[in-house]
């Protein structure tokens, strides 16, 4: 009795163009995934191209289509070869409801994804408004205007992909015939005279592929044949080395969760749960190995991911803002584990998974907001593995340490506010020692990193220091660290002072890491990103609250009658005029 | 404070010494430099780098407005100078015969070295740029920021005799307060008026400012942003004998100098960047620019040059991150142009030139600081672990 209903449903669905999501076999999709395409100046798998195009349009790396979920490559193949089906997929993310209103379209929710079919009626209005807004300087645009402009760009890009030629005019899939040339060709370009025999042959094969789009079996065979021929041509140029590795990096999944880095994030959260549970059973001996054990897996995944990226790109680990997030996260976790080993208070140990999870969350958000390939080709001034591995790595380690110190200082403030361990002043002294130790570690790397940056600038631009915002940001971190160290040596700050100063230090790191990029000036400017600005504002707001709360706790303690001074703390960290609990 | 060795100084001197060597001063200096750097970064958005640099970092003191209230702040020069003194005296004051302090001493010595190097660079270095098309040769480079007025006599035999006046001599010239110069050997005096550091000559029209001085139908429109315009001024050549005058405009971005006849001779008057001579010449043989394929992202760019020193000619390569060093000068590949050149167009290479006697100092300082800090923190960490170890039951 159900079958006729299902048949009817499928027929209706297929007529609507939504039901036949999985028209292509896995082997066919695989063939497309590993196709090498030259985009943004480098060779990458088509899977990466698809992933970031989809991310830019939709904020996700998959597309829901009826009951199924399509991968980015499956979506791209549909765009290229079955545009009428693709037009029904809801891939255009519209964040700001005003945009839909401006276009005169009905909106389903404040923030939602729409399909090409949904947006097409307003095409003329969209392009006209975009033209107007593009004429204004970026600083003067409203948020909804910037969003509309982005939507128009995405819309046009989508139209170029769904032009019906299978991407022949758009995707540089054909290696050039001449071994000395570096520019790859689109199939359309390869068919033109002068491109050479090999490229023309490949292009003809691609045209056959496009023609076979309606027949899944023929299409599959043609796709695999084209992929194989393209791979051979690339291999003959020695250029297909790491494409497969990159496909694997992005595709690796466990239970549908990407290993890099969704799985790592989930494991960090699991480790944090365990750490939290163990706080309820502090005497348990299992803490020494359970939580570190649970931390090992995600940290190894993160480290492996970073190492894989190095191999894929043939570059040191940190070359873009996205990679700084990954590196800061893994460094902060490792330093936290080292701090735990040196202090054994389970404070750093419990913070490590929080930092890991937050860092990976930030990385994911950054990737989605930017919507560009996170393994781009490097511009000339960055084309130096020496300075990338020395200056950038040390500065990033400095960021990690500064943020970790701030994180541990949160524990100090929280514990004081909650009145924890009042009978154990040694706890607070130990936390302060940890914060101070991490700060000093950070100061070493920040100072050396900043000077290295100056030397690099001198080698590239002929001047050691130019008071560029990014340079200034690094200097601010160094100065703040120096201020804390010398204030402690001079006896002007003790435990509260160190911890609160470390909190401010975290804000200084955030300013240097992300804030200076938003200013729009200087050699390191990346332009204004709304997402980053909002994030920074929220962060500064929260930290200010914590700072004020910590300050209030200090005042409260000052106003109370002085407790009976217990045993002086170890001579290890004496300030010249130390006074317990001050 | 740690124990100071008594030096037999009087009470006031000791107090001064202790103050200058104190942690309190260090903290104050770090704090003020922090504030200056923060303000200097934020203000760059509106005022541009050069103006901000002058205001905060190259001054002895400055005023910062918090809303309507001006707050005086020490300037970068004062702070760095005091920091040097503080470091030096602080090391003397706090020295302890303790081998465990060696790391910190090294780190501070490194910073002293760095500050000294920065000072030497600030006082004694010269830098600028050289723009060369392929086949061109030059034995001078142009300053980035300093300008000069050139009054050149164009002789019938094709040579030129230039008289050069640095901009500092006439920067104060504004309308109503002209600067008059009478360089030797000139049949006229030179009056400079209406000088602006960032101006663009505009044709006088119905909507131009009514009282603006115009010459040849142009007035000098001041620009808000420091880089939007170039220096410009009105120049009047006044014959000493007859009182006859010729008026013209000089402008930093003019495509040609102001040609004028005066005193029976022909002159070219121009406002240009100060030229600094080099003891050798550079000739641009070839300039390569490689973009990442199918993009306009620069992948690499390099200049193949020839060092011309007297009779010797030696080839060399200058590329990003790999400068040329010769006779105390360092030449860098800075950029190229025109930026929007179509393929096959004639490109020029922009080389940055610098002579900095303290060029290597930051590198040595960095190594010393790194070693010193690493040593110090390793020693401390080991001590801490030892103490920790004897603590745990």
């Amino acid at each position: 009795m159900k079958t006729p209903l299902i048949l009817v449903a499928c027929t209706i669905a297929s007529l609507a163009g939504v039901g036949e999501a999985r028209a292509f076999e896995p082997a066919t999709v695989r063939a497309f995934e590993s196709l090498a395409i030259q985009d943004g100046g480098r060779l990458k798998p088509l899977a990466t191209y698809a992933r970031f195009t989809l991310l830019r349009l939709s904020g996700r790396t998959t597309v829901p289509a009826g009951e199924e979920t399509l991968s980015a490559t499956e979506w791209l193949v549909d765009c290229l070869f079955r545009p009428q089906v693709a037009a029904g997929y809801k891939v255009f993310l519209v964040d700001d409801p005003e945009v839909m209103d401006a276009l005169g379209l009905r909106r389903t929710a404040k923030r939602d994804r729409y399909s090409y079919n949904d947006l097409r009626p307003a095409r003329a209005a969209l392009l006209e408004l975009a033209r107007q807004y593009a004429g204004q300087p970026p600083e003067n645009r409203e948020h909804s205007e910037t969003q509309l402009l982005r939507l128009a760009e995405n819309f046009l890009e989508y139209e170029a992909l769904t032009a019906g030629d299978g991407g022949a005019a758009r995707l540089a899939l054909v290696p050039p015939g001449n071994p000395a040339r570096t520019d790859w060709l689109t199939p359309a370009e390869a068919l033109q005279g002068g491109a050479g025999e090999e490229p023309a042959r490949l292009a003809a094969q691609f045209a056959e592929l496009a023609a076979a789009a309606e027949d899944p079996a023929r299409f599959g065979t043609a796709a695999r044949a084209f992929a194989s021929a393209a791979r051979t041509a690339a291999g003959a140029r020695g250029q297909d080395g790491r494409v497969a590795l990159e496909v694997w990096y992005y595709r690796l999944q466990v239970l549908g969760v990407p290993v890099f880095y969704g799985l790592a994030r989930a494991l960090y959260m699991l480790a944090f749960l365990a750490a939290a549970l163990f706080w309820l059973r502090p005497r348990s001996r299992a803490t020494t190995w359970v939580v570190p054990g649970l931390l090992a897996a995600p940290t190894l995944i993160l480290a492996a991911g970073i190492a894989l990226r190095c191999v894929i790109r043939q570059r040191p680990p940190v070359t873009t803002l996205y990679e700084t997030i990954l590196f800061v996260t893994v460094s902060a976790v490792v330093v936290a584990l080292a701090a735990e080993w040196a202090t054994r208070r389970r404070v750093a140990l419990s913070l490590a998974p929080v930092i890991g999870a937050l860092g990976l969350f930030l990385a994911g958000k950054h990737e989605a907001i930017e919507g560009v390939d996170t393994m781009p080709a490097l511009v000339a001034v960055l084309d130096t593995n020496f300075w990338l591995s020395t200056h950038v790595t040390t500065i990033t380690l400095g960021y990690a340490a500064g943020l970790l110190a701030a994180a541990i200082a949160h524990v100090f403030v929280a514990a004081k506010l909650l009145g924890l361990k009042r009978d154990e002043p040694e706890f607070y002294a130990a936390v302060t020692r940890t914060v101070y130790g991490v700060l000093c570690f950070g100061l070493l790397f920040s100072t050396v990193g900043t000077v290295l940056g100056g030397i690099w600038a001198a080698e590239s631009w002929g001047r050691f220091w130019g008071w560029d915002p990014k340079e200034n940001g690094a200097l601010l971190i160094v100065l703040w660290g120096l201020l804390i160290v010398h204030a402690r040596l001079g006896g002007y700050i003790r435990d509260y002072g160190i911890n609160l100063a470390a909190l401010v230090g975290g804000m200084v790191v955030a300013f240097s890491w992300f804030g200076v990029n938003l200013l729009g000036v200087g050699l390191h400017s990346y332009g204004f990103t709304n997402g980053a600005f909002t994030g920074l504002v929220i962060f500064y707001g929260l930290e200010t609250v914590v700072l004020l709360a910590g300050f209030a706790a200090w005042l409260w303690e000052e106003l109370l009658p002085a407790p009976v001074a217990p045993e002086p703390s170890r001579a290890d960290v004496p300030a010249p005029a130390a006074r317990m609990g001050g | 404070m740690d124990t100071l060795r008594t030096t037999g100084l009087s009470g006031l001197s000791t107090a001064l010494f202790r103050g200058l060597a104190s942690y309190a001063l260090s903290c104050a200096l770090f704090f003020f430099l922090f504030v200056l750097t923060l303000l200097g970064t934020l203000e760059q958005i509106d005022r541009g780098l050069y103006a901000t640099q002058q205001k905060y970092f190259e001054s002895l003191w400055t005023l910062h407005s918090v809303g309507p209230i001006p707050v005086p702040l020490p300037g970068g020069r004062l702070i760095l100078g005091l920091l040097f003194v503080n470091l030096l005296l602080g090391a003397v004051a706090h020295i302890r015969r303790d081998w465990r302090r060696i790391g910190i001493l090294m780190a501070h010595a490194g910073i002293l070295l760095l500050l000294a190097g920065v000072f030497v660079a600030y006082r004694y270095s010269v830098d600028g740029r050289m723009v060369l098309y392929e086949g061109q040769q030059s034995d001078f480079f142009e300053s980035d920021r300093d300008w000069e007025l050139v009054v050149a006599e164009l002789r019938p035999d094709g040579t030129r005799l230039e008289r050069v006046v640095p901009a500092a001599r006439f920067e104060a010239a504004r309308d109503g307060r002209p600067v008059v110069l009478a360089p030797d050997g000139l049949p006229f005096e030179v009056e400079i008026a209406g000088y602006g550091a960032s101006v663009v000559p505009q044709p006088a029209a119905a909507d131009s400012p009514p009282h603006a001085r115009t010459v040849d139908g142009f007035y000098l429109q001041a620009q808000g942003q420091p880089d939007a315009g170039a220096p410009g001024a009105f120049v009047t050549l006044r014959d000493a004998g007859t009182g006859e005058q010729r008026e013209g405009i000089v402008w930093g971005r003019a495509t040609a100098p102001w040609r004028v006849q005066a005193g029976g001779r022909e002159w070219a008057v121009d406002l240009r960047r100060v030229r600094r001579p080099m003891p050798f010449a550079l000739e641009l043989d070839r300039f390569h620019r490689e973009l990442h394929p199918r993009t306009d992202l620069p992948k690499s760019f390099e200049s193949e040059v020839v060092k011309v020193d007297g009779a010797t000619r030696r080839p060399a390569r200058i590329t990003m991150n790999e400068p040329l060093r010769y006779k105390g000068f360092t030449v860098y590949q800075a950029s190229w142009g025109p930026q929007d050149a179509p393929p096959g167009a004639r490109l020029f290479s922009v080389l940055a030139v610098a002579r900095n006697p303290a060029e290597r100092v930051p590198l040595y300082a960095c190594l010393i600081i790194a070693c010193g800090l690493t040593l110090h923190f390793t020693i401390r960490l080991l001590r801490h672990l030892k103490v920790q170890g004897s603590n745990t039951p």
Side-chain angles (χ1 to χ4, degrees), chain A residues 38 41 184 186 189 342-343 378-381 384 440 444 456 458-460 462 464 467 472 476 483 487 492 570 572, chain B residues 24 27 30 34 37 41 44 53 57 292-295 298-299 321 325 332 362-363 366 373 377 380 384 388 391:
Chain A
Q38 190 181 67
W184 281 38
T186 64
E189 286 165 358
T343 60
L378 295 179
V379 292
V381 69
T384 155
C440 289
L444 164 61
W456 184 8
E459 289 291 291
S460 282
F464 174 80
W467 300 108
N472 290 350
L476 286 176
L483 183 54
Y492 305 116
R570 295 282 153 199
D572 196 62
Chain B
C27 290
F30 292 139
F34 182 91
T37 309
T41 309
Q44 278 185 37
Q53 205 165 326
F57 304 117
H292 282 295
R294 301 187 70 93
T295 67
K299 179 172 181 195
N321 294 316
R325 292 191 164 87
Y332 307 83
L363 178 60
C366 184
L373 284 179
F377 290 132
R380 293 216 55 165
H384 169 87
Q388 183 93 343
N391 261 354

Side-chain angles (χ1 to χ4, degrees), chain B residues 275-291:
Chain B
R275 296 184 170 184
R276 306 209 192 277
M278 289 164 41
F280 60 97
L282 278 179
E283 185 180 307
L284 180 64
D285 205 14
R286 285 201 58 196
F287 174 71
H288 305 273
R289 176 192 54 156
E290 205 186 328
L291 298 175

